């Protein structure tokens, strides 16, 4: 039976429902939690988070993929409690957002160590929580080129993906030539990789999205909602219509089976204020209505939010 690892245990793929494939319960830069001005009580985090997940569930959301990874605020015990409370399946990540957010202990680790660590978190569990990771997060450090550490993490992720059948999700799809060279050298089929953030306002112009799709990679339009129209837009914001047109162009070019979409929102940001007015529920409140208005039919919307993520998340054996 095909299945996916959630924080409460493996579930049959068909139970995923509609998937938000790149989101965060709470994301912060390593160490930001030590700055007392950002401290929140557990109750405050909970009160900020639960209504968003409840609304997601009411709208018809089934699964929330937490793309946070190690060192950026991942808290699997908390995710398990949130999932049990709200009925939303939560998929946790092993791996790192990028080499530049891996703390020194991991930054100094060998490829073999990282590989074993990722495999353990996917097959045995994340510490003693009982929850297993369902995806492997990797990413490109700030600067636009993969660093040596980024490359070690990508290589370890490819090996862990092959050993466990878990998929790989990237932070940024710039410098994709180097990423694809590593995945190919390791023998990982590119349909096991979701190249994320092809749509953000900083990197969209220098991301070779159609080339990645032609190589067989999956394409993540996963910063929907970070719009220049927001009251206080972040530096990676982009005009709403421009992003939507970009997404529709990929679909018209024949890449419907390669695209995934998400909002990359934080339910309760850690160590920074977050982006006001942006939540995972952008998917239901804005994005799906925009796609319908642009003429996409219900079958196409189901492909984007149900079938493609199901294919991607299913553990391969
Ligand atoms: Zn993210």
């Amino acid at each position: 039976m095909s299945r996916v690892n959630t924080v409460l245990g493996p579930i049959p793929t068909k139970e995923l429902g509609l998937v938000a494939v790149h989101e965060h319960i709470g994301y912060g830069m390593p160490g930001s939690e030590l700055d007392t001005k950002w401290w929140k009580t557990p109750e405050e985090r909970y009160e900020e988070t639960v209504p968003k997940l409840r609304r997601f569930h009411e709208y018809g959301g089934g699964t929330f993929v937490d793309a946070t990874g190690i060192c950026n605020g991942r808290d699997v015990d908390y995710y398990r409690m949130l999932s049990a409370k709200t009925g939303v399946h939560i998929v946790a990540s092993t791996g790192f957002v990028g080499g530049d957010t891996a703390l020194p202990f991991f930054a100094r680790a060998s490829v073999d160590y990282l590989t074993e660590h990722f495999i353990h978190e996917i097959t045995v569990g994340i510490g003693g929580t009982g929850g297993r990771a369902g995806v492997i997060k990797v990413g490109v450090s700030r600067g636009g080129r993969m660093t040596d550490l980024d490359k070690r993490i990508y290589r370890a992720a490819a090996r862990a993906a092959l050993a466990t059948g878990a998929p790989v999700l990237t932070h940024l799809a710039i410098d994709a030539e180097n990423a694809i060279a590593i995945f190919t050298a390791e023998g990982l089929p590119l349909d096991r990789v979701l190249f994320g953030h092809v749509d953000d306002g900083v990197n969209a112009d220098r991301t070779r999205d159609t080339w990645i799709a032609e190589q067989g990679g999956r394409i993540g339009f996963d910063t929907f909602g970070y719009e220049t129209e927001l009251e206080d837009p972040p530096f990676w914001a982009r005009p709403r219509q421009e992003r939507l047109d970009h997404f529709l162009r990929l679909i018209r070019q024949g890449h419907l089976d390669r695209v995934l979409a998400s909002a990359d929102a934080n339910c309760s940001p850690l160590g920074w204020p977050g982006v006001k007015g942006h939540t995972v529920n952008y998917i239901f409140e804005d994005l799906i209505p925009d796609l319908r208005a642009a003429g996409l039919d219900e079958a196409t919307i189901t492909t984007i939010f149900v079938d493609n993520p199901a294919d991607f998340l299913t553990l391969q054996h």
Side-chain angles (χ1 to χ4, degrees), residues 72-85:
N72 289 95
R74 189 185 64 171
D75 184 345
V76 178
D77 277 325
Y78 179 50
Y79 299 174
R80 284 164 60 88
M81 185 271 280
L82 291 171
S83 179
K85 196 89 189 164

Side-chain angles (χ1 to χ4, degrees), residues 6-7 11 15-17 56 62-65 83 86-91:
T6 76
V7 292
I11 62 167
E15 289 180 17
L16 291 174
F56 178 74
T63 301
F64 182 108
V65 178
S83 179
T86 63
V88 174
H89 298 301
I90 298 177
V91 175

Side-chain angles (χ1 to χ4, degrees), residues 22-24 27 67-68 97 137 169 171 197 222-223 264-266:
H22 184 136
E23 299 297 327
H24 300 275
Y27 170 91
T68 301
V97 168
K137 184 76 182 280
L169 193 164
H171 165 76
H197 300 341
D222 47 21
T223 61
D264 195 20
N266 278 269

